[in-house]
């Protein structure tokens, strides 16, 4: 029989999804003091008020529509904030000698622990090697280095929560753990931020300073502003080894980058060539593919662009006629979305099998602007069914045209300059004009010449620079490129062979596709902030037999000069070398991070001990641009895969399903969820950003809708637990603040449970060794079995990196097994003085083992509570829960009794039936007697072992067994548990028919009215039919119960009902 947790009829924590159609009983109270403080008294009164409101809502609103998220968010009320105010030096251990506050307060719990953890060295592998449970195995990871310019958003928090949970589990397990912190220098973003600051504060442009002076300004900014991310990581509880912190522009990283460049060049995997690159005219730099946002346009769309004086229309297809040479009335009409590139056209192409143009094969056309003759060429890449089937060929400004032009030997004409203006090749009438101003002038000229054939809406995908918001141009540039084919083949084979595991495995398809189609990687960036390329132009020299520039590569200028001397045959001292002013793509240094952070290219102890890394965990959006490049360069430069397993989590999206993005204004700072924030502050943050005015209005409106009352204080532990509760195999993660808030209430439940347990244990309690603990009652055996099963499930979840399994197991144990069942059942037992020792030992083991199981996910709460438990005798206790042994499934296996748990699930069914009967007959205070009757002897024995807890949990009086053949007791309510088991509850003397029948009639009338309204109402748009049917069933069930109860009460009266009674 399946296990039915008591959660199905216990009142759930606010924010958790309640069961529908079931009455609520009073919540568990673990208040340790008889009267409690004023704060706890107010909390109890508020909770009782909410319970009454919930009960009224249940009766009056079963058939109401589901509330909108914004309406639901009104449910939370501010909680009392308790602060830790005991004077404690930074890095000193927190004082836990005082009693626990009456209610959970995140600010109190999270104070002081992190600096102490760091000072004690708990996060260092050298400390872990000395632990009693040390396994001599290593576990190493690096944090995906976030950009130093920004602050962490909720997507980063997901990465940190997952990684830290895994790291803490391995550390407690006894592995020697190294988790390397670091940040990325973010070349484009950082330079842009500093340039804006210089202009705002001093009115100075970058080019008005020397390169050295500007870089000093950047380093100054980094020292002043770059620490925000580290502070956020500490707030999130990330157990990083801060003594090994890396920055991708520090000295060690610079050495690694230079070494990697030189080695790749010598291996023939790095070369300089003139090719088309992604170019941002606003930044005046090449950009990587990941910095190009592909924005779909449904049709004509106006966009405001940097440096463009007026909005520019995109999503239009313009038709232009190219006259056929020698035939005055013949023309070929082509469609283009980029008329500004017409001056760069060198041909018109059609498909060789397109019958419309076969008669023109080999002919020439007149350019519509210049009149120059252009060839009409045939190519199978042309799609004849699109537009007119004829396309203009602009090799200098289109990757597809560049390939086509290369096949036909066409020379490109570059007509757009680095700054987005038209070049001299366009003629005086266009030279120097902004390209989108030139567009309008070109269209006017076409109209004047009678060669413009109109325009129409045209859905398209527009490449946008994510850094500047400008339209990306494709320009031919002499840049440095990494050859990716050979390294990419190795990366693909590593996954195919199983040497590299991608989890979830469905990412393998994207991996293989990307590496089978990837081109060479442009690594040059026209910036000042970054790793300057270690390549030198030998001035006035050319490679032998060639007119190309002569470039040499070296770790230093001296080394490059030696190479140049050997190449040219001239003494090095006579040569003039000019270093390439460009810097390397930020992704180049990031791709080296797994080994450069450990000291490569030096043979350091860390590199020998912790490389390759045990695991790489990151967002699925970085699989190709970062993970793929780490695998390529790591394998090439170190001879080993940088890691053997990659764990990829889903993308975090907002309520509308959009990716978290600063440009959309939907980014959530995890600290706002942890500490809480008012709506006004959230709106101010939006206004302080760089959003376009139109986007600001949209973002502010969405924010008001999502958080009409701001964000409540949830705490770090609740946020971490919520983030880890989402499975990696699912789709994108739509995290709601209400979900995090529900886990804050879960924290409060654990808090109250520990207050109850500590109060029960008293000051003189001495724990038994776990291996000596033997349960004294079936209830003790049941909870210990649940604890052992939870440990097994947690171990399996951590081993497979499925943290959702861990969070589910822990949530179920603490809430549904311990708090809802065992603590309630054991309260009457603890009323006996002196307390029986068995339940106390069980309570201690549940707290000790349960907190250690919880520690990787909720480190602050677990530490705060675990530190207050009495130590087990024998041996020095662990100084902190984060280095205490993690409970293994094997060590607790002797407690596991699956058969007992299956038996107890039958008891829980009986409890559910009893509570439902009490609610139906409104027995709020009475404790009626109960009888159970079964036709199966085995069931009799099963229930007999749990008669006392059954009565306690069912809020009933004495519980007994009715012999199988005995007649049903007269005047008792009855409920079937199964075909063989019946439950009877005494009503005689507890129910006043004259009072209860009118109440039942009123409730029935109210529910019948709701049912009639639901049946008559037309389903709302988007309402699921299954949801509607569930509401109908719920109402019908409630009505059936009321009818049965009314009939039974009339039987008690032994009179016939009057016609209008029901």
């Amino acid at each position: 029989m399946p296990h039915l947790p008591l959660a199905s009829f216990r009142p759930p924590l606010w924010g958790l999804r309640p069961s529908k159609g079931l009455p609520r009983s009073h919540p568990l109270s673990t208040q340790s003091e008889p009267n409690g403080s004023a704060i706890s008294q107010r909390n109890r009164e508020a909770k009782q008020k909410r319970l009454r409101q919930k009960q009224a809502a249940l009766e009056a609103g079963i058939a109401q529509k589901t509330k909108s998220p914004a309406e639901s968010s009104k449910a939370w009320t501010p909680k009392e904030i308790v602060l830790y105010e005991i004077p404690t030096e930074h890095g000193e251990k927190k004082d836990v000698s005082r009693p626990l506050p009456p209610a959970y307060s995140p600010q109190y719990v999270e104070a002081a622990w992190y600096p102490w953890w760091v000072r004690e060295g708990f996060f260092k592998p050298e400390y872990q090697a000395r632990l009693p449970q040390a396994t001599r195995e290593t576990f190493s990871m690096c944090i995906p280095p976030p950009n130093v310019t920004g602050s962490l958003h909720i997507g980063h928090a997901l990465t940190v929560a997952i990684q830290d949970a895994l790291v803490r589990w391995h550390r407690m397990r006894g592995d020697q753990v190294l988790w390397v912190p670091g940040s990325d220098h973010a070349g484009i973003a950082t330079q842009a931020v500093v340039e804006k600051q210089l202009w705002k504060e001093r009115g100075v442009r970058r080019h008005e300073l020397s390169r050295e002076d500007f870089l000093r300004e950047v380093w100054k900014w980094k020292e002043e502003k770059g620490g925000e991310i580290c502070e956020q990581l500490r707030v999130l509880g990330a157990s990083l080894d801060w003594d090994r912190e890396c920055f991708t522009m520090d000295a060690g990283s610079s050495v690694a980058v230079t070494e990697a460049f030189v080695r790749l060049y010598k291996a023939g995997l790095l070369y300089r060539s003139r090719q088309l690159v992604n170019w941002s005219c606003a930044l005046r730099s090449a950009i990587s593919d990941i910095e190009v946002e592909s924005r779909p346009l449904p049709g004509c769309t106006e966009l405001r662009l940097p440096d463009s004086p007026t909005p520019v229309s995109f999503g239009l297809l313009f038709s232009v006629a190219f006259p056929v040479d020698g035939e005055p009335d013949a023309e070929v009409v082509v469609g283009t979305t980029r008329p500004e590139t017409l001056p760069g056209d060198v041909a018109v192409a059609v498909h060789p099998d397109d019958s419309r143009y076969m008669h023109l094969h080999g002919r020439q056309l007149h350019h519509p602007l210049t009149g120059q003759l252009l060839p009409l060429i045939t190519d199978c890449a042309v799609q004849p069914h699109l537009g007119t089937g004829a396309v203009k060929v602009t090799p200098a400004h289109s990757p597809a045209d560049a390939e086509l032009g290369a096949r036909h030997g066409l020379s490109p004409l570059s007509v757009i300059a680095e700054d987005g203006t038209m070049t001299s090749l366009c003629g005086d009438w266009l030279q120097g004009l902004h390209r989108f101003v030139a567009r309008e002038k070109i269209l006017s000229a076409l109209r004047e010449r009678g060669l413009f054939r109109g325009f129409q809406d045209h859905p398209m995908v527009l490449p946008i620079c994510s850094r500047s918001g400008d339209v990306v141009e494709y320009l031919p540039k002499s840049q440095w490129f990494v050859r990716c084919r050979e390294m990419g083949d190795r990366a693909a084979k590593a996954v195919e062979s199983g040497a590299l595991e991608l989890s979830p495995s469905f990412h393998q398809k994207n991996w293989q596709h990307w590496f089978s189609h990837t081109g060479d990687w442009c690594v040059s960036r026209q910036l000042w902030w970054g790793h300057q390329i270690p390549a030198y132009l030998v001035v006035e020299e050319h490679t032998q037999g060639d007119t190309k520039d002569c470039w040499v590569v070296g770790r230093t200028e001296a080394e490059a000069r030696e190479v140049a001397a050997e190449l040219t045959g001239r003494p090095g001292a006579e040569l003039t070398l000019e270093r390439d002013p460009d810097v390397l793509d930020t992704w180049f240094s990031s791709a080296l991070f797994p080994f450069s952070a450990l000291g490569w290219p030096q043979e350091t102890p860390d590199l020998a001990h912790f490389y390759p890394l045990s695991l790489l965990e990151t967002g699925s959006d970085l699989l190709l641009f970062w993970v793929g490049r780490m695998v390529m360069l790591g394998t090439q430069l170190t001879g080993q895969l940088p890691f053997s397993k990659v764990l990829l989590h889903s993308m975090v999206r907002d309520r509308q399903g959009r990716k978290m993005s600063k440009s959309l204004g939907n980014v959530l700072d995890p600290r706002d969820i942890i500490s809480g924030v008012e709506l006004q502050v959230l709106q101010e943050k939006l206004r302080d950003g760089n959003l376009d005015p139109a986007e600001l209005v949209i973002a502010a409106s969405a924010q008001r809708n999502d958080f009409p009352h701001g964000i409540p204080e949830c705490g770090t532990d609740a946020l971490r637990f919520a983030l880890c509760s989402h499975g990696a195999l699912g789709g994108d993660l739509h995290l709601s603040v209400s979900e995090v808030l529900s886990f804050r209430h879960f924290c409060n439940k654990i808090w109250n449970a520990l207050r109850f347990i500590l109060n029960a244990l008293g000051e003189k309690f001495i724990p038994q060794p776990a291996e000596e603990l033997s349960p004294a009652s079936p209830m003790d055996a049941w909870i210990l079995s649940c604890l052992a099963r939870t440990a097994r499930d947690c171990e399996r979840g951590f081993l497979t990196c499925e943290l959702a399994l861990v969070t589910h197991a822990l949530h179920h144990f603490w809430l549904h097994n311990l708090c809802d069942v065992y603590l309630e059942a054991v309260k009457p037992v603890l009323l006996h003085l002196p307390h029986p020792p068995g339940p106390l030992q069980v309570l201690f083991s549940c707290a000790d083992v349960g907190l250690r199981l919880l520690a990787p996910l909720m480190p602050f709460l677990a530490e705060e509570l675990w530190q207050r438990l009495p130590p087990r005798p024998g041996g020095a206790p662990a100084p902190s829960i984060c280095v205490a042994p993690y409970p293994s499934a094997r060590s607790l296996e002797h407690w596991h009794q699956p058969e007992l748990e299956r038996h107890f699930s039958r008891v829980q069914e009986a409890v559910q039936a009893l509570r439902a009967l009490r609610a139906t007959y409104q027995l709020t205070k009475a404790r009626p007697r109960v009888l159970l009757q079964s036709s199966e002897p085995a069931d009799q024995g099963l229930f007999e072992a749990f008669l006392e807890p059954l009565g306690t949990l069912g809020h009933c009086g004495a519980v007994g067994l009715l012999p199988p053949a005995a007649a049903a007791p007269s005047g008792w309510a009855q409920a079937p548990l199964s075909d063989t088991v019946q439950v009877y509850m005494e009503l005689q003397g507890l129910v006043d028919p004259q009072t209860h029948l009118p109440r039942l009639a009123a409730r029935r009338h109210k529910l019948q009215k709701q049912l009639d309204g639901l049946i008559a109402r037309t389903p709302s748009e988007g309402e699921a039919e299954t949801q509607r049917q569930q509401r109908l069933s719920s109402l019908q069930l409630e009505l059936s119960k009321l009818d049965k109860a009314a009939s039974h009460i009339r039987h008690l009266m032994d009179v016939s009902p009057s016609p209008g009674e029901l």
Side-chain angles (χ1 to χ4, degrees):
M1 183 174 290
H3 176 64
L4 297 177
L6 289 182
S8 58
F9 54 86
R10 290 287 298 167
L13 295 173
W14 303 134
L16 296 176
R17 182 177 299 167
S19 303
K20 292 188 174 71
L22 294 174
R24 301 178 186 274
S25 61
H26 291 291
L28 167 68
S29 171
T30 53
Q31 183 69 39
S32 57
E33 298 120 50
N35 299 316
S37 65
I39 294 175
S40 60
Q41 181 67 27
R42 288 197 299 271
N43 286 343
R44 284 198 299 275
E45 291 172 357
K47 184 177 288 186
Q48 289 168 1
K49 180 180 178 182
R50 291 196 300 271
L51 273 174
R52 291 192 297 270
Q53 293 170 343
K54 289 284 183 177
Q55 179 66 31
L58 181 66
E59 294 178 355
I62 293 176
Q64 285 182 353
K65 296 180 183 178
T66 303
K67 288 184 178 181
S68 69
E71 290 172 332
S72 300
S73 66
K74 296 177 183 177
W76 69 270
T77 53
K79 304 295 181 183
E80 191 90 24
I81 294 176
V82 182
L83 301 178
Y84 174 75
E85 296 177 325
I86 302 173
T88 304
E89 292 289 331
H90 186 80
E92 291 293 327
K93 185 176 180 180
K94 188 175 184 178
D95 187 340
V96 292
S97 63
R98 311 285 178 89
L100 287 171
Y104 169 72
S105 179
Q107 291 190 44
Y108 180 92
V109 170
E110 294 164 19
W113 287 122
Y114 195 90
W116 177 64
W117 290 334
V118 173
R119 177 177 169 177
E120 292 298 310
F122 297 145
F123 304 158
K124 299 185 70 59
E126 293 82 3
Y127 183 96
Q128 299 144 29
R130 303 192 299 268
L131 293 176
Q133 71 268 29
T135 61
R136 296 189 179 181
E137 295 182 11
T138 61
F139 181 79
S140 53
M141 272 201 318
C142 65
I143 195 169
N147 288 353
V148 71
T149 54
S151 60
L152 301 183
H153 56 63
I154 204 68
H156 295 110
L158 173 61
T159 301
V160 172
I162 294 172
Q163 290 194 352
D164 193 48
L166 294 171
V167 160
R168 286 177 179 272
W169 177 72
H170 277 280
R171 188 180 292 123
M172 292 177 71
R173 191 181 178 214
D175 297 340
Q176 198 174 356
V177 174
L178 175 60
W179 188 20
V180 182
S183 54
D184 192 282
H185 64 277
I188 292 174
T190 304
Q191 181 162 311
V193 166
V194 176
E195 284 193 68
K196 286 180 181 177
Q197 180 176 290
L198 284 172
W199 177 250
K200 183 178 180 180
E201 295 179 358
R202 294 163 50 183
V204 174
R205 299 290 187 189
R206 167 169 61 106
H207 291 283
E208 297 176 39
L209 301 175
S210 66
R211 183 170 187 150
E212 292 72 20
D213 288 341
F214 177 76
L215 292 179
R216 272 194 289 271
E217 292 293 333
V218 179
W219 278 107
K220 179 182 175 184
W221 177 91
K222 192 265 179 186
E223 296 304 318
E224 292 176 356
K225 310 286 188 180
E228 183 177 2
I229 287 172
C230 295
E231 178 57 31
Q232 286 179 296
L233 290 170
R234 289 179 168 89
V235 169
L236 286 165
S239 56
L240 295 149
D241 185 351
W242 291 105
D243 291 340
R244 288 174 165 91
E245 183 181 0
C246 299
F247 177 53
T248 55
M249 276 290 286
D250 60 24
S253 182
S254 295
V255 170
V257 167
T258 299
E259 183 67 25
F261 192 94
V262 172
R263 290 193 190 185
L264 291 172
Y265 181 78
K266 288 183 176 180
L269 296 174
L270 228 162
Y271 65 97
R272 187 173 177 85
S273 173
R274 184 174 177 83
Q275 298 182 27
L276 283 190
V277 298
N278 302 321
W279 187 266
S280 170
C281 297
L283 299 173
R284 310 276 182 94
S285 174
I287 57 175
S288 67
D289 291 341
I290 200 171
E291 288 156 341
V292 178
E293 173 195 340
S294 297
R295 185 176 300 178
L297 303 179
C300 184
T301 305
E302 280 196 348
L303 297 178
R304 288 190 172 274
L305 303 174
D307 301 327
S308 179
T310 57
V312 183
S313 294
F314 295 93
L316 293 173
L317 185 69
F318 301 90
S319 298
V320 182
F322 284 67
V324 178
D325 183 44
E327 293 188 34
D329 297 327
E331 63 183 26
V332 175
V333 177
V334 303
T336 178
T337 59
R338 300 291 310 277
E340 61 272 19
T341 62
L342 272 168
D345 291 350
V346 295
V348 171
V350 296
H351 193 279
D353 299 332
D354 192 334
S355 59
R356 292 170 294 178
Y357 303 109
M358 282 185 175
H359 66 290
L360 296 177
H361 288 186
R363 300 291 295 272
Q364 290 189 312
L365 310 176
H366 288 281
H367 192 288
L369 294 177
T370 65
Q372 292 179 325
L373 293 177
L374 306 180
L376 185 137
I377 60 177
T378 60
D379 196 286
C380 292
V382 178
Q383 301 179 46
H385 60 281
L386 293 181
T388 62
V391 296
K392 66 190 201 69
V393 182
T394 320
H397 300 289
S398 164
D401 289 5
E403 293 179 9
L404 191 152
R407 288 195 294 271
H408 295 271
L410 301 174
S411 299
L413 291 177
S414 185
V415 297
I416 298 177
E418 294 181 356
D419 61 355
T421 62
M422 308 304 286
T423 68
S424 59
L425 294 177
C426 302
D428 294 340
W429 68 295
L430 292 177
Q431 183 179 357
L433 288 180
H434 190 282
R435 62 195 188 283
F436 296 125
V437 174
R439 170 190 289 191
E440 298 304 320
K441 198 167 184 178
I442 288 170
L443 291 174
S444 295
L446 292 172
R447 289 187 181 95
E448 291 175 5
R449 299 177 189 196
L451 298 175
F452 183 65
R453 297 293 178 262
F455 64 90
Q456 63 188 53
D457 274 16
H458 180 70
M460 63 179 293
V461 176
L462 191 67
I464 299 289
C465 172
S466 63
R467 300 295 184 186
S468 66
D470 197 11
V471 173
V472 173
E473 294 293 340
Y474 300 104
L475 302 186
K477 290 291 175 186
S478 293
Q479 310 275 271
W480 291 95
F481 292 85
V482 174
R483 299 186 199 276
C484 294
R485 175 61 62 191
E486 179 184 335
M487 293 188 291
D489 287 344
R490 283 203 299 264
K493 288 175 183 175
V495 169
E496 190 176 342
S497 68
L500 177 62
E501 178 188 352
L502 301 182
S503 180
S505 58
F506 60 75
H507 290 292
Q508 292 180 12
K509 184 177 180 181
N510 286 341
W511 181 273
Q512 301 295 355
H513 180 269
W514 194 71
F515 279 113
S516 64
H517 293 83
T518 187
D520 291 349
W521 171 19
C522 173
V523 292
S524 296
R525 297 293 179 268
Q526 289 62 46
L527 306 170
W528 283 358
W529 173 244
H531 294 283
Q532 191 171 353
I533 294 174
Y536 300 80
L537 175 65
V538 184
V539 180
E540 297 179 359
E541 288 288 339
H542 302 285
T543 52
Q544 295 178 2
D546 200 346
T547 58
K548 293 182 179 178
D549 290 338
C550 179
W551 287 88
V552 292
V553 170
R555 296 171 181 83
T556 62
E557 184 176 335
E559 182 179 315
R561 195 171 291 278
E562 291 178 9
V563 175
E566 183 178 344
L567 192 64
T568 62
R570 294 172 54 189
E574 297 179 4
L575 298 172
T576 301
L577 269 60
E578 290 182 359
R579 187 169 182 177
D580 191 335
D582 292 350
V583 300
L584 285 164
D585 181 8
T586 301
W587 293 100
F588 189 89
S589 53
S590 297
L592 311 178
F593 196 74
F595 45 98
S596 66
L598 299 176
W600 186 90
Q602 306 301 320
E603 292 292 336
T604 64
D606 277 359
L607 190 67
H609 199 55
F610 295 107
Y611 186 81
L613 303 181
S614 308
L615 175 72
L616 181 87
E617 198 287 330
T618 189
S620 55
D621 56 324
L622 295 179
L623 173 63
L624 306 175
F625 296 107
W626 186 46
V627 180
R629 287 165 176 171
M630 282 190 288
V631 170
M632 285 197 302
L633 296 192
T635 307
Q636 175 66 32
L637 296 171
T638 70
Q640 302 178 80
L641 286 167
F643 29 75
S644 57
K645 181 174 181 178
V646 180
L647 180 64
L648 298 153
H649 62 251
S650 304
M651 295 289 294
V652 180
R653 298 189 181 275
D654 66 10
R655 188 173 288 160
Q656 285 76 43
R658 302 174 303 172
K659 180 181 176 181
M660 294 286 183
S661 168
K662 290 180 182 178
S663 62
L664 293 175
N666 62 350
V667 170
L668 271 181
D669 186 333
R671 291 172 298 186
D672 288 341
I673 300 177
I674 290 169
S675 303
V677 65
E678 297 177 351
L679 175 62
Q680 179 183 350
V681 177
L682 289 172
Q683 301 268 287
E684 288 172 358
K685 287 185 178 183
L686 278 181
R687 289 192 290 270
D688 291 342
N690 295 317
L691 287 179
D692 177 89
E695 292 173 338
L696 177 61
V697 171
I698 296 171
S701 176
Q703 203 176 65
R704 287 192 297 272
N705 183 58
D706 290 346
F707 313 113
H709 305 284
I711 298 176
E713 179 194 39
C714 297
T716 297
D717 290 317
L719 175 60
R720 289 167 57 112
F721 202 86
L723 289 167
C724 290
S725 68
H726 291 265
L729 293 176
D732 292 334
L733 193 160
H734 299 266
L735 184 74
S736 66
V737 173
S738 60
E739 180 184 1
V740 185
L741 185 61
S742 74
F743 285 118
R744 178 201 160 126
H745 297 312
F746 175 54
C747 292
N748 190 62
K749 199 77 167 178
I750 297 171
W751 182 269
N752 284 335
L754 260 293
R755 291 181 70 236
F756 174 83
I757 291 172
L758 290 170
N759 185 63
L761 296 181
E763 297 180 0
K764 298 181 180 180
F765 174 79
I766 300 176
Q768 282 182 338
E771 59 274 8
E772 297 179 11
L773 177 58
S774 179
S777 71
M779 279 304 301
D780 291 350
W782 173 78
I783 192 63
L784 291 177
S785 180
C786 292
L787 184 59
R789 174 172 43 80
T790 302
R792 183 197 64 195
D793 292 344
C794 289
E795 187 173 278
R796 185 173 74 247
F798 276 119
L799 285 171
T800 58
C801 298
E802 295 181 57
L803 298 188
L805 295 180
V806 182
T807 57
H808 175 77
L810 289 169
H811 188 265
H812 189 82
F813 171 77
W814 277 99
L815 191 61
H816 303 320
N817 297 148
L818 184 63
C819 292
D820 284 354
V821 180
Y822 185 74
L823 293 188
E824 290 284 1
V826 83
K827 283 177 182 178
V829 179
L830 295 179
L831 291 175
H832 304 294
L833 294 175
H835 295 327
L840 295 182
Q841 295 292 343
V842 171
L843 284 173
F844 173 83
S845 290
C846 287
D848 172 45
V849 176
L851 288 173
R852 284 188 283 135
L853 289 172
L854 188 68
L857 295 147
M858 291 185 166
F860 293 103
L861 178 64
E863 187 77 90
E864 182 75 34
L865 297 175
W866 187 80
Q867 288 285 348
R868 297 167 188 271
L869 290 174
R872 292 187 186 272
S880 166
I881 197 171
C882 65
V883 289
Y886 196 82
S888 68
R890 179 181 297 178
S891 67
L892 303 181
E893 189 60 35
H894 61 287
W895 286 344
H896 193 208
Q897 300 183 55
E899 188 66 21
L900 176 65
E901 291 188 50
R902 282 192 289 272
H903 287 171
F904 191 71
S905 68
R906 300 287 303 280
V907 177
Q908 290 179 285
E909 291 174 3
V911 171
Q912 183 177 9
L914 291 174
R915 291 192 174 185
L917 285 174
R918 285 177 52 82
T920 299
Y921 291 95
Q922 299 182 339
L923 301 176
T924 55
K925 296 181 179 179
R927 293 292 184 264
R929 290 184 298 164
V930 170
L931 290 172
L932 286 93
Q933 185 180 47
S934 174
S935 59
E936 297 290 337
D939 287 341
Q940 294 278 103
L942 184 157
F943 288 113
E944 189 171 11
F946 292 101
L947 290 181
E948 185 176 350
L950 200 159
T952 302
L953 296 170
H955 301 298
C956 298
V959 181
L961 296 174
L962 191 65
S970 177
W972 291 46
Q974 177 185 357
L977 281 187
S978 65
D979 293 339
T980 60
V981 181
Q982 298 288 328
V983 175
Y984 300 97
M985 178 181 288
E986 182 184 25
L987 295 181
Q988 196 72 42
L990 301 177
V991 173
D992 178 9
Q994 301 299 333
T995 303
H996 276 69
L997 282 175
R999 289 180 184 172
L1000 292 176
R1003 287 176 62 193
R1004 193 191 192 290
H1005 177 73
K1006 187 180 296 185
L1007 295 181
Q1008 184 65 53
K1009 186 176 180 181
Q1010 292 178 5
L1011 178 63
D1012 294 341
L1014 185 61
I1015 293 173
R1017 180 172 59 83
T1018 303
S1020 60
E1021 185 178 350
E1023 181 180 19
E1025 181 59 26
T1026 54
Q1027 190 179 28
R1028 174 182 167 86
Q1029 290 300 324
Q1030 285 173 355
R1031 293 173 185 164
L1032 287 170
S1033 299
S1034 177
L1035 284 166
Q1036 290 163 349
L1037 178 62
E1038 286 296 308
L1039 289 168
S1040 174
K1041 288 180 180 179
L1042 291 176
D1043 289 342
K1044 186 175 181 180
S1047 174
H1048 198 80
I1049 291 175
R1050 292 192 200 98
H1051 179 71
L1052 291 178
M1053 296 174 64
D1054 197 25
V1055 293
S1056 297
S1058 61
E1061 217 170 4
L1062 272 183

